[in-house]
Amino acid sequence: METSKPKKTVAPRTPMPCQPAAVRRGNFKEVALGYTREMALQEAARCLQCKKPLCVTGCPVEVPIRDFIHQVAQNNMDAAYRIIKSTNSLPAVCGRVCPQEHQCEGKCVLKAKGQAVAIGRLERFVADTYIATTACEQVTGTNACSLPLDGKKVACIGSGPSSLTCAGVCAAAGIRVDVFEALHEPGGVLIYGIPAFRLPKSVVATEIDGLRQSGVEFHLNSVGGRTVDVADLRKDYDAVFIGVGAGLPTFLGVPGENLVGVFSANEYLTRVNLGRAYDFPTQDTPAFPGKNVTVFGAGNVAMDAARTALRMGAESVHIVYRRTKAEMPARLEEVEHAEEEGVQFAMLSAPLRFNGNAELHLTSVTLQKMELGEPDASGRRRPVPIAGSEYDMSTDLAIVALGTRSNPILLEATPDLAQTQRGYIQVNEETGETSIPNVFAGGDIVTGAATVILAMGAGRRAGQEIVRRLRG
């Protein structure tokens, strides 16, 4: 009589140690403290090492996930890092801010049991452990970068995740890369948009320093469409990559939105992050103070803004959203962290108007209660106003986090660049090439506001195509 083999039991997912909520809401230090080596080895041992790793199909940059986790389980972090860097230019960033639960971890076989392998946490551990290695060693596994190709040059406009990835791919192939950044500090949304408690600025700086070591040069205060022109760059460079993001904020369109105290999330987060207002008065760029703060929207940017406002001294912070928590697009981890820190949620509420005093300073917002009706085009149930349900909420700082649109500056300066109906750059999806030969684009200026890792995937595809052409 045959006896069935006992099923392999899988250990529960290794939890991530974090700062206590009561402590972290008073500082801008990183919330998630990272795995210890023992934790990383324990979590890596949970991986089933599938013959056909579905997790890779969920990764926009196709990191060989099974292979790097195998090396972690063997306590070989150098090899694990080189495997990750073979496709991912910014692993320390991705390990912190990527929505792994919807991507690589979402495809993990163990998710059926409710606890996917913590791929993102392992990626972060490996990157943090090996981050001091030079970019040349990271990419090639040797002590020298690829030999430069005589006369071959690539220009990248913007220095966000898409451009940085494209630059990394090209530089690893020995091609000279110049990155032109509009602001006074490189990093794009990684610097001005994501708060330090989620992505420390030192981590971004280290990743960028790695690119510098591989030969990438950064030119700051260079605005695409103004001080840097696509047509001029085409004369001097063999290929141009456009990764300027989508930084034009979307507003509510309700009365009173021009009152003092109403900000877009872009402006508020830029003042705090890029201006280092969180370190005032050591840094001399203060942010607008708010005691009672309301944030409109329910994505990751809304969570960032709400949690930032708490740390900047707000007495109360409310997230105002037209639907329920079940429909919120933000990462579950970010929502949970916000709740733990004291952010309150005003669900099924929509703003009707902002109210101010005689000096035109914001004092309150009038909200209307909603109920969910039939599903709309997004598949979510449509919010429907409830008649006679208006109420006022006191607020002296309102932050609108409803997404962004394409910034028209570069597009208007490049009229022969084909655009989509939504006003973004039109590209070949496989190569990232635009309507102008050897001019490529990727990231939010192509897709609209999306994730860091999707932008990196676009930068990688374009970089690979550029390398193929210039090496051809």
Side-chain angles (χ1 to χ4, degrees):
M1 179 178 178
E2 290 187 7
T3 57
S4 59
K5 293 181 179 180
K7 292 183 179 179
K8 181 181 178 180
T9 57
V10 180
R13 183 174 164 114
T14 308
M16 171 68 85
C18 294
Q19 284 194 73
V23 175
R24 69 185 189 236
R25 63 172 285 167
N27 65 60
F28 275 82
K29 297 177 182 177
E30 194 165 12
V31 170
L33 301 177
Y35 278 166
T36 62
R37 184 175 293 266
E38 181 181 359
M39 290 175 177
L41 294 174
Q42 178 180 322
E43 184 61 25
R46 298 181 63 239
C47 178
L48 300 180
Q49 290 293 301
C50 304
K51 290 184 178 179
K52 295 183 179 179
L54 298 178
C55 52
V56 177
T57 66
C59 177
V61 296
E62 300 176 323
V63 169
I65 295 168
R66 177 191 62 188
D67 300 339
F68 101 73
I69 292 180
H70 173 71
Q71 295 297 332
V72 174
Q74 301 300 311
N75 201 18
N76 191 346
M77 303 308 162
D78 288 6
Y81 191 60
R82 289 192 174 97
I83 290 170
I84 297 172
K85 285 290 288 189
S86 68
T87 68
N88 186 346
S89 300
L90 307 170
V93 171
C94 290
R96 287 169 164 84
V97 302
C98 285
Q100 291 97 0
E101 65 272 22
H102 300 305
Q103 295 176 333
C104 54
E105 293 177 15
K107 299 286 187 178
C108 178
V109 171
L110 292 182
K111 188 180 180 183
K113 301 179 184 296
Q115 293 190 320
V117 174
I119 298 168
R121 294 172 181 177
L122 290 174
E123 181 179 40
R124 168 184 165 166
F125 172 80
V126 172
D128 288 354
T129 301
Y130 201 68
I131 206 164
T133 308
T134 69
C136 302
E137 292 171 333
Q138 292 165 5
V139 175
T140 67
T142 67
N143 290 323
C145 292
S146 300
L147 293 175
L149 297 175
D150 292 338
K152 301 298 182 182
K153 298 190 300 180
V154 173
C156 294
I157 307 177
S159 68
S162 190
S163 278
L164 293 178
T165 302
C166 181
V169 170
C170 293
I175 300 170
R176 175 183 163 183
V177 182
D178 288 305
V179 176
F180 298 90
E181 165 57 43
L183 298 174
H184 61 276
E185 188 172 342
V189 70
L190 304 176
I191 287 293
Y192 72 75
I194 303 177
F197 56 80
R198 276 217 297 139
L199 180 61
K201 305 310 169 191
S202 60
V203 170
V204 181
T206 301
E207 297 277 39
I208 289 174
D209 283 343
L211 290 173
R212 284 194 177 101
Q213 291 175 37
S214 69
V216 177
E217 293 190 20
F218 290 85
H219 306 269
L220 306 179
N221 302 306
S222 301
V223 182
R226 288 292 186 269
T227 58
V228 177
D229 184 79
V230 173
D232 290 338
L233 291 177
R234 290 185 69 207
K235 299 174 185 176
D236 297 327
Y237 292 85
D238 298 280
V240 176
F241 179 83
I242 302 171
V244 294
L248 194 64
T250 300
F251 283 95
L252 291 160
V254 299
E257 210 162 17
N258 59 343
L259 289 168
V260 177
V262 182
F263 289 80
S264 70
N266 279 40
E267 181 178 358
Y268 182 74
L269 289 173
T270 299
R271 285 175 178 268
V272 175
N273 296 328
L274 183 65
R276 305 295 198 273
Y278 60 82
D279 196 23
F280 183 80
T282 304
Q283 302 291 328
D284 57 3
T285 311
F288 188 89
K291 290 185 177 180
N292 300 303
V293 180
T294 52
V295 179
F296 299 88
N300 291 328
V301 175
M303 299 303 134
D304 286 345
R307 298 171 68 195
T308 295
L310 271 181
R311 287 162 170 77
M312 293 300 290
E315 296 175 1
S316 71
V317 178
H318 286 82
I319 292 278
V320 178
Y321 185 47
R322 300 184 305 160
R323 294 183 169 93
T324 70
K325 283 186 182 178
E327 289 80 32
M328 293 173 67
R331 293 184 66 186
L332 179 61
E333 181 178 81
E334 302 307 318
V335 176
E336 290 174 347
H337 283 171
E339 285 186 299
E340 291 168 0
E341 291 165 8
V343 173
Q344 302 173 64
F345 292 82
M347 299 288 98
L348 291 170
S349 296
L352 293 179
R353 60 184 173 275
F354 292 108
N355 309 304
N357 58 22
E359 288 76 35
L360 300 180
H361 284 251
L362 176 68
T363 57
S364 69
V365 58
T366 300
L367 304 172
Q368 182 173 40
K369 291 186 177 297
M370 314 291 281
E371 59 184 359
L372 296 182
E374 296 299 316
D376 59 15
S378 70
R380 296 176 297 175
R381 294 174 65 190
R382 185 188 305 275
V384 179
I386 300 175
S389 62
E390 295 84 358
Y391 68 102
D392 287 348
M393 178 181 288
S394 295
T395 182
D396 54 355
L397 171 57
I399 304 171
V400 181
L402 299 182
T404 55
R405 297 170 289 151
S406 59
N407 192 314
I409 294 177
L410 183 139
L411 300 180
E412 290 176 354
T414 319
D416 49 347
L417 198 60
Q419 300 179 35
T420 66
Q421 290 183 341
R422 297 173 57 208
Y424 297 103
I425 297 177
Q426 183 176 311
V427 301
N428 179 313
E429 292 185 4
E430 294 183 0
T431 64
E433 189 171 24
T434 69
S435 57
I436 304 174
N438 291 322
V439 174
F440 300 78
D444 290 0
I445 192 61
V446 172
T447 62
T451 62
V452 167
I453 191 65
L454 286 175
M456 291 177 61
R460 180 169 179 257
R461 286 192 298 275
Q464 289 174 326
E465 179 64 20
I466 292 170
V467 170
R468 277 194 291 268
R469 294 188 186 187
L470 298 192
R471 278 202 179 280

